[in-house]
Amino acid sequence: MINEQIKQIAERLKGLREVLDLTQEDVAKKTGFAADKVAVFESGEVDIPMSFICDVAQAYNIEPSVLISGYEPKMNSYFLTRAGQGVSMERTKAYKYLALAAGFKNANIEPFEVSIEPFEKLTLNTHAGQEFDYVIEGRVKIQIGQKEMILEKGDSLYFDSSIPHGMLALDNQKAKFLAIITK
């Protein structure tokens, strides 16, 4: 079951494309996703990978938080996010993102607090840039390319995020990590 937030993000993606007078094929060329995938993401009927949101944002020089929240960042000297108060995005029941710098204009990185509920299927994705993940709570299995690793509380990993990657919460418990993604 797709939630209302996914539908709103899909509407913003489609609206951006239409305002820029682009076809789904144009977006596909810029992001590396197939045109039929772009159409599916714009339908609001499926989960939209964070990698796609970041790729669209980078391709069209907007902040990912604009696509996630619909709000334009305003701050350019600092932006404070109090505990639990970031811009929330629930992609699926398994993944919940909290954007921690959503109000900072022209940020060079995108920091997220990511919560993963236990689930069984590992889904791999890619996006431009690099990623740093720091486990705050629980244990996770991460796959980068063909390599699988187990990360525990306090462990961190830095990697090229153009390599297919994904995470699973282990021990049938929720895991939480800080993800910092470069543009």
Side-chain angles (χ1 to χ4, degrees):
M1 175 95 175
I2 298 300
N3 66 32
E4 189 60 33
Q5 191 174 21
I6 297 296
K7 291 178 183 176
Q8 291 172 4
I9 293 168
E11 288 174 17
R12 285 191 280 277
L13 287 166
K14 184 177 181 180
L16 174 66
R17 181 180 57 75
E18 290 175 347
V19 163
L20 295 174
D21 197 26
L22 300 169
T23 65
Q24 290 172 337
E25 289 77 18
D26 295 331
V27 175
K29 287 176 191 168
K30 283 283 218 175
T31 62
F33 283 80
D36 61 335
K37 279 287 194 192
V38 173
V40 169
F41 298 151
E42 287 184 359
S43 75
E45 299 301 319
V46 300
D47 177 31
I48 303 167
M50 195 61 147
S51 58
F52 180 73
I53 292 169
C54 289
D55 287 349
V56 168
Q58 184 173 22
Y60 298 104
N61 199 28
I62 63 169
E63 301 293 327
S65 60
V66 173
L67 295 171
I68 294 168
S69 70
Y71 299 107
E72 186 74 36
K74 307 279 188 226
M75 303 305 290
N76 58 17
S77 58
Y78 72 91
F79 183 75
L80 173 66
T81 302
R82 298 282 184 197
Q85 299 299 308
V87 175
S88 178
M89 177 187 170
E90 183 177 323
R91 286 186 34 223
T92 66
K93 289 185 181 191
Y95 276 93
K96 294 179 180 90
Y97 287 80
L98 198 60
L100 302 176
F104 195 86
K105 193 174 183 178
N106 300 318
N108 292 322
I109 62 168
E110 289 290 333
F112 297 95
E113 181 182 288
V114 183
S115 297
I116 310 173
E117 297 294 333
F119 63 104
E120 296 188 18
K121 185 177 182 223
L122 185 83
T123 303
L124 300 178
N125 67 68
T126 63
H127 51 88
Q130 299 170 341
E131 184 169 332
F132 172 79
D133 295 331
Y134 177 84
V135 180
I136 300 168
E137 172 184 312
R139 291 178 359 114
V140 295
K141 176 168 91 173
I142 185 166
Q143 181 177 334
I144 301 174
Q146 299 301 312
K147 179 73 174 169
E148 290 186 356
M149 295 165 265
I150 305 295
L151 302 179
E152 300 189 13
K153 180 179 177 180
D155 290 346
S156 64
L157 182 64
Y158 192 95
F159 59 95
D160 176 346
S161 50
S162 68
I163 300 170
H165 60 281
M167 285 189 170
L168 284 175
L170 296 177
D171 308 322
N172 204 30
Q173 294 187 7
K174 180 172 99 173
K176 189 181 290 187
F177 64 98
L178 174 66
I180 300 174
I181 301 169
T182 67
K183 291 186 173 183

